[in-house]
Amino acid sequence: MHTMVKGANVSLAALSEHTGSVIVSLGWTSQGGDGDADVCVLLVDADGKVRGDDDFYFYNNPVAPDGSVHLLGKTAGTEGSEDRIGFDLTALPAAVDRIVVAASRDGAAGFDELDDLRVTLSDAAGDRLLRFAPEGTEAVSALVFGELYRRGTDWKFRAVGQGYASGLAGLATDFGVDIEDDAVDAVDAASADEDGGTGTAAAGEGNLPDTGGAEPAPVDAPVTSPGSEQPSAAVPAAPSVPAPRGGPPPAGEEPAARPRRPRTAKKKITLPRISRKSLAENESWKDARLFPVSALRSDRERENRATSVLLSVMAQVPEFGRRLIAGFGAPAGRMETFTEVSLPHGDTPRRPDGVIRVERAGKLWTALVETKTNGNDLKAEQVQAYMDIAARRGYEAVITLSNDVALEGTPLLDVRVDGRRKHKVALWHLPWAEVTYQAQTLIRHEGVGNPAHAWLLQELLHYLQHDNSGCHGFQNMGASWVPVRNGIEDETLSQGDPRALEVVESWERLIRQVCLGLGGELGLRVLPVQRARRGGDHGVRRARSADQLCAEGRLHADIKIENGPGVLAITADLRTGKLRTSVEIPAPEQGYPLTWAKRLIRRLAEAPADLHIETLVEGEGGGPRGTLERLRPEPADLLPRAAGTRITGFRLSLFKGMGSGRGNAESGFIRSVDDAVHRFHTSVVLHLDGPPARRSSPKETPGAA
């Protein structure tokens, strides 16, 4: 992998032969696990400006109509959770000269609060080609990580690392995007007057590293990157300040029509729950379904039906099919899917469960599909054969589907890739929980314009969630679960036992699936939080967790819900058989402690009576605690008795007995964890205040994003 420094550039063709479509990944970490940023993309012409506001892609405009840009959202990468963006470089119009890849933070948050800033680029085969780690970001709230730009018929990547103290508004405006919000027009005008219309780029951020003793370029001047053919526009000149939009038109002039402008506020969609009266004579009648599941009798039937159902919906609902395979390097184009496929392989032909083919500009992208349902595991030798077939036939990928969830930084299968072959084949895994999550997000939260497409997705969801489909997600903690629990109870489990490591790996898979399930229901990003520094050895981290399990008898995980009030912690105590779900909320910056306590109790009016509340205080020792039932009449009992004790926050916890079985039955451990998380979120977390809401425009104050 090619490592880059600020200002350097490299030709993509020199790194790989498969760069017609690429994936750019942005990543970062934070000490508390709750730091995040939003990615954005700008398509600019030779003058360094967007052709129109539609060339600005962000959370409210994530996909280009021609498929050239697709914000794929967060996913687990080799260095932790990353925001990925898919680019089909062959689909970009000739007028697009550069692609600017950036990210921004909310409010007064800056990139100096995040660690391990990085941008990587992967080719269509999934191989990482380059990496750039911006440094010295200071207190900037928007950051250009890098840019892709044309040189003749080739594409090159430049490592930029340019910060903006004025946030997303300053960055977007510099590239010609018009940011609109009627509610803050007066604030925008006042901010422009105070700033004097200058100073969008952070001071000092426009200078590139020393290149042989040359004088550094001034902030407002074009920056020439080492080895580049022409000056870069990575640091545009400060824009002029337009007249306030809210004022009356000059005398004698008609009011001009207000142009459509991109709105940078995330839209909150609340789906109505409408009860529809049934026309059935009695309750035993079942609705007719497009994909019936009652007749399925064997695992082979389930695999065939699940493959055919999924692939057919992918082909008929392009937005859904594109969402599933864009992260695998597939271009945007006409998709066809096939089952009952036979391909030659030695003396015995192989029959993969399906094939996906996408046509774009006369070129084909092809992937073989291997499917497993219920608790059936993928077989390495079978997938290896498909990898060999795909390499010989020039296919781009092999996609596996099963209920298993891949671990971060660890391949699901040990499959050998022949490095001597010129054509590379990428191996991707798609858990059924991810398929369900994407379908839920699209149909229930983002919306589908075509009624027929919406109906097909609803039928697919019903099929996937039916008990007989076999597509239920991770359902078994493994053979080591019961021996490890017994060893903890009788204190015979010693550190270094490989069975403890297997349980830790199963726990990590379970937490990832819980995040997918909760995220699909909420329409929000829900991700596991890794407290350790990213980029480390995942095997070492899991071995440390296994030793901790042997010593303390507890499994622990943290998950972060987008716009949530704090990190949701899950602890399974195998010694007591109890599950604890909790969240810590910080104390308000202003007001009186008694007011905080009363307000908290009022917000928890619908919460369970057995909810435990603990006051967090500064220094050693804990604060007062009690159940909600006891504290409701006397909120003052939450206040420390010692004078001068500073309250830092409150911890809310629910306790629940955990299942003893290793599976997903009613009495199983997996079901108990899933139920505990959903109960805690719906009965407690939803009633709490989240972080400050975003304004409808990022142009609030200097430094806001």
Side-chain angles (χ1 to χ4, degrees):
M1 185 167 57
H2 183 68
T3 302
M4 305 186 69
V5 297
K6 187 173 180 179
N9 57 63
V10 65
S11 170
L12 300 187
L15 301 177
S16 172
E17 299 177 354
H18 311 285
T19 55
S21 61
V22 297
I23 299 289
V24 174
S25 303
L26 306 185
W28 44 78
T29 62
S30 64
Q31 294 292 332
D34 55 354
D36 204 0
D38 294 307
V39 301
C40 62
V41 172
L42 300 104
L43 306 183
V44 300
D45 56 21
D47 295 329
K49 301 291 183 181
V50 296
R51 299 167 301 162
D53 290 341
D54 289 338
D55 280 345
F56 178 37
Y57 297 96
F58 56 108
Y59 37 75
N60 272 346
N61 183 33
V63 182
D66 59 4
S68 58
V69 181
H70 191 172
L71 272 60
L72 302 171
K74 288 220 181 272
T75 188
T78 57
E79 298 182 79
S81 296
E82 300 173 333
D83 263 297
R84 300 200 302 169
I85 313 162
F87 294 106
D88 186 352
L89 301 180
T90 63
L92 283 166
V96 175
D97 184 67
R98 284 190 294 131
I99 306 171
V100 179
V101 181
S104 64
R105 302 205 66 196
D106 292 334
F111 278 91
D112 57 330
E113 302 168 5
L114 301 179
D115 301 322
D116 295 338
L117 293 172
R118 61 193 181 275
V119 56
T120 59
L121 184 144
S122 305
D123 63 8
D127 293 334
R128 296 213 166 186
L129 306 181
L130 59 86
R131 187 182 194 277
F132 167 55
E135 296 179 353
T137 54
E138 299 181 0
V140 297
S141 52
L143 181 67
V144 176
F145 281 74
E147 61 183 22
L148 291 157
Y149 63 99
R150 296 183 193 264
R151 279 299 172 264
T153 59
D154 295 333
W155 283 91
K156 304 184 78 172
F157 180 86
R158 178 180 290 118
V160 178
Q162 168 66 43
Y164 281 76
S166 54
L168 179 60
L171 184 151
T173 304
D174 276 1
F175 287 101
V177 179
D178 195 359
I179 303 297
E180 175 195 75
D181 190 320
D182 299 339
V184 294
D185 279 347
V187 175
D188 291 349
S191 298
D193 291 338
E194 292 174 5
D195 294 340
T198 61
T200 58
E205 285 297 313
N207 299 334
L208 296 177
D210 185 14
T211 56
E215 288 293 327
V219 171
D220 292 337
V223 177
T224 303
S225 300
S228 61
E229 292 83 348
Q230 71 180 26
S232 164
V235 189
S240 58
V241 179
R245 295 191 295 265
E253 292 188 13
E254 293 294 328
R258 197 179 184 93
R260 186 175 66 85
R261 297 160 180 165
R263 302 187 64 86
T264 58
K266 286 187 178 178
K267 301 175 182 177
K268 181 179 179 181
I269 301 173
T270 303
L271 296 178
R273 300 294 182 182
I274 302 176
S275 59
R276 180 172 57 89
K277 184 178 180 180
S278 174
L279 301 180
E281 275 187 31
N282 58 67
E283 295 180 356
S284 65
W285 291 11
K286 302 297 182 184
D287 290 336
R289 291 293 177 183
L290 180 64
F291 311 122
V293 290
S294 57
L296 297 176
R297 293 292 180 264
S298 67
D299 286 340
R300 186 58 186 167
E301 288 179 349
R302 290 184 180 89
E303 290 175 8
N304 290 339
R305 178 71 63 84
T307 305
S308 184
V309 167
L310 174 62
L311 294 186
S312 63
V313 174
M314 288 174 62
Q316 296 302 318
V317 187
E319 54 268 57
F320 176 65
R322 173 67 180 161
R323 181 182 291 254
L324 287 182
I325 64 174
F328 301 160
R334 184 170 67 95
M335 180 188 300
E336 289 188 1
T337 54
F338 306 88
T339 58
E340 304 297 330
V341 177
S342 179
L343 297 172
H345 183 66
D347 297 333
T348 305
R350 293 282 184 167
R351 292 179 173 82
D353 292 312
V355 171
I356 302 172
R357 308 196 87 187
V358 182
E359 181 187 24
R360 175 78 187 184
K363 298 181 180 180
L364 281 177
W365 181 92
T366 304
L368 302 180
V369 178
E370 173 62 14
T371 303
K372 296 294 181 184
T373 56
N374 278 342
N376 298 316
D377 296 325
L378 293 161
K379 299 177 181 178
E381 62 274 10
Q382 190 176 29
V383 176
Q384 181 71 70
Y386 294 149
M387 293 287 289
D388 295 338
I389 293 173
R392 287 199 303 271
R393 302 182 72 86
Y395 294 172
E396 281 69 28
V398 173
I399 301 173
T400 58
L401 288 107
S402 75
N403 284 318
D404 205 351
V405 180
L407 293 174
E408 181 180 339
T410 303
L412 188 63
L413 295 172
D414 185 14
V415 175
R416 177 181 55 84
V417 178
D418 191 348
R420 296 172 297 177
R421 294 186 184 274
K422 182 177 180 180
H423 180 76
K424 294 183 178 180
V425 179
L427 177 61
W428 304 98
H429 180 67
L430 190 63
W432 284 113
E434 173 77 17
V435 177
T436 302
Y437 163 77
Q438 295 292 357
Q440 284 180 313
T441 302
L442 188 59
I443 186 62
R444 294 180 179 174
H445 304 286
E446 297 181 5
V448 179
N450 187 312
H453 292 177
W455 177 68
L456 281 172
L457 282 177
Q458 290 281 20
E459 290 295 300
L460 173 65
L461 268 178
H462 178 268
Y463 178 87
L464 295 176
Q465 295 172 341
H466 195 280
D467 291 339
N468 202 30
S469 69
C471 306
H472 308 128
F474 178 72
Q475 291 184 302
N476 197 316
M477 291 295 289
S480 298
W481 173 247
V482 174
V484 166
R485 286 197 63 170
N486 293 336
I488 290 175
E489 289 177 1
D490 55 27
E491 298 185 3
T492 59
L493 187 67
S494 58
Q495 293 187 357
D497 192 318
R499 295 175 300 181
L501 181 59
E502 293 178 12
V503 168
V504 167
E505 292 176 345
S506 296
W507 171 253
E508 187 172 327
R509 290 187 173 96
L510 172 58
I511 293 303
R512 290 186 176 277
Q513 180 166 286
V514 168
C515 290
L516 287 172
L518 188 59
E521 292 182 7
L522 302 177
L524 300 171
R525 290 185 299 187
V526 182
L527 296 168
V529 175
Q530 298 292 352
R531 294 292 184 182
R533 187 177 180 84
R534 301 288 190 187
D537 189 309
H538 297 289
V540 173
R541 175 176 59 82
R542 294 187 186 108
R544 190 183 306 116
S545 298
D547 290 341
Q548 187 174 1
L549 171 63
C550 296
E552 302 176 1
R554 290 194 294 267
L555 294 166
H556 182 83
D558 295 322
I559 63 176
K560 176 63 178 176
I561 303 172
E562 182 182 14
N563 298 329
V567 174
L568 197 158
I570 312 161
T571 302
D573 193 327
L574 276 61
R575 287 177 174 166
T576 63
K578 294 287 187 180
L579 279 170
R580 174 176 180 162
T581 46
S582 61
V583 65
E584 293 183 8
I585 55 176
E589 296 182 358
Q590 298 179 347
Y592 298 97
L594 182 57
T595 304
W596 304 342
K598 290 181 177 179
R599 185 175 181 227
L600 177 62
I601 298 300
R602 284 198 303 269
R603 288 192 172 276
L604 296 172
E606 303 299 324
D610 60 345
L611 176 69
H612 285 241
I613 305 178
E614 178 185 359
T615 303
L616 305 178
V617 297
E618 197 173 48
E620 298 182 0
R625 65 181 67 185
T627 63
L628 180 59
E629 182 178 26
R630 186 179 67 81
L631 292 170
R632 274 175 177 152
E634 293 294 340
D637 288 347
L638 281 173
L639 305 183
R641 297 185 181 278
T645 303
R646 180 174 176 268
I647 297 176
T648 60
F650 301 92
R651 181 187 292 118
L652 314 179
S653 305
L654 276 180
F655 294 88
K656 176 185 184 298
M658 67 184 188
S660 57
R662 66 186 183 186
N664 195 32
E666 290 294 337
S667 60
F669 175 73
I670 292 177
R671 179 73 63 86
S672 65
V673 173
D674 194 61
D675 291 346
V677 172
H678 282 76
R679 175 176 180 252
F680 186 72
H681 182 268
T682 55
S683 63
V684 178
V685 176
L686 282 180
H687 302 289
L688 303 175
D689 289 330
R694 292 185 183 178
R695 306 190 66 164
S696 298
S697 167
K699 295 179 66 175
E700 300 166 330
T701 58

